[in-house]
Amino acid sequence: MELFLGEGWDVMPAGGATGEAYVAKHGDYQLFIKRNSSPFLAVLSAEGIVPKLLWTKRLESGDVITAQRWIQGRELKAKEMMNASTAAMLSNIHRSNELLDLFKRMGNEPLDPRHMVENMYVQIQLYRIEDELVLACMDYLERTKDQLGDAEYAVCHGDINHNNWMRDEQDNLYLIDWDGASVADPALDLGLMLYTYIPEEHWATWLAHYGAELDYSLKMRMHWYVVAHTISEILWNHSRGQFSQVEELKKALMYVASKNDHSD
């Protein structure tokens, strides 16, 4: 990678699950480099959702390298997820027609609850999972999938962990790591945000900053997608033999399942 940057650059892994992110340094100047990052990074940059995209280069191998401005920032703390600024940014993302149009032009089909359930059942059979809690929650997803209604789909981040939110020295807020983004019901992101970080007595206030009302439909959809997401995480970790993580996720699933007071 140093070859196309030129002489005098030091390139080091930046961590992360994919191993495709790097920090490039030349004296006091730094860049964030990523291989094969999200193809709509330019739109995210233009809308101020991620640090500024500086350039893009396609290598002879076909890989695409992007360079973004390095920010002297910090990850948000879990308690900061309650701030009105996170609600406002997530609202801007979900209401971005530019992001949605680009994602659709790339051929990405919206996440369909029926297909989600079908795919999870295939994996459950493949891995021969017989856990009673997982199967009971799958039964809930199956029974209620047709009650979700027709939501106005948006580009959803899909992993709103506080480690993916960053604030720089100028107090600008960013949401990074868009590799798992999809077109989906915004309740996917909202459910993960609220169930993970926001005490239930503050849900209505946080959603008011986002621009939504905490009604029966949204509560049910958020619960459905959090259950589905947690089971998907269980299956992903199971497929990789990460069974200690599977057990932790089962505890999370039990907690989420206990919050079901608005289904059939």
Side-chain angles (χ1 to χ4, degrees), residues 144-201:
T144 56
K145 67 182 187 299
D146 295 326
Q147 300 175 22
L148 300 179
D150 298 320
E152 191 168 321
Y153 279 26
V155 173
C156 290
H157 183 273
D159 183 12
I160 48 77
N161 188 289
H162 68 275
N163 296 321
N164 285 330
W165 294 79
M166 297 195 68
R167 193 176 290 282
D168 68 12
E169 292 178 319
Q170 288 73 45
D171 209 34
N172 298 307
L173 184 64
Y174 302 103
L175 179 57
I176 62 173
D177 194 0
W178 283 82
D179 294 339
S182 62
V183 175
D185 184 338
L188 170 63
D189 280 345
L190 292 173
L192 294 173
M193 173 71 80
L194 269 58
Y195 273 85
T196 306
Y197 295 108
I198 316 298
E200 192 165 357
E201 62 268 23

Side-chain angles (χ1 to χ4, degrees), residues 233-251:
E233 289 289 295
I234 289 172
L235 296 173
W236 188 89
N237 281 277
H238 193 283
S239 70
R240 285 153 179 79
Q242 297 169 180
F243 299 115
S244 61
Q245 186 64 20
V246 167
E247 292 305 314
E248 289 300 312
L249 286 164
K250 284 180 183 178
K251 294 177 184 177

Side-chain angles (χ1 to χ4, degrees), residues 209-228:
H209 293 299
Y210 169 87
E213 180 182 353
L214 184 61
D215 57 16
Y216 174 89
S217 172
L218 181 56
K219 288 179 70 174
M220 181 185 179
R221 285 156 43 219
M222 288 193 302
H223 184 264
W224 196 96
Y225 281 104
V226 172
V227 171

Side-chain angles (χ1 to χ4, degrees), residues 87-120:
M89 172 164 277
L90 198 57
S91 177
N92 290 338
I93 292 167
H94 289 165
R95 289 169 173 77
S96 172
N97 291 324
E98 289 79 4
L99 275 178
L100 184 59
D101 290 344
L102 177 59
F103 213 95
K104 287 182 174 179
R105 288 202 305 271
M106 290 164 53
N108 291 278
E109 294 294 327
L111 282 182
D112 185 304
R114 291 167 297 180
H115 294 159
M116 292 172 67
V117 171
E118 290 172 4
N119 290 336
M120 284 189 284

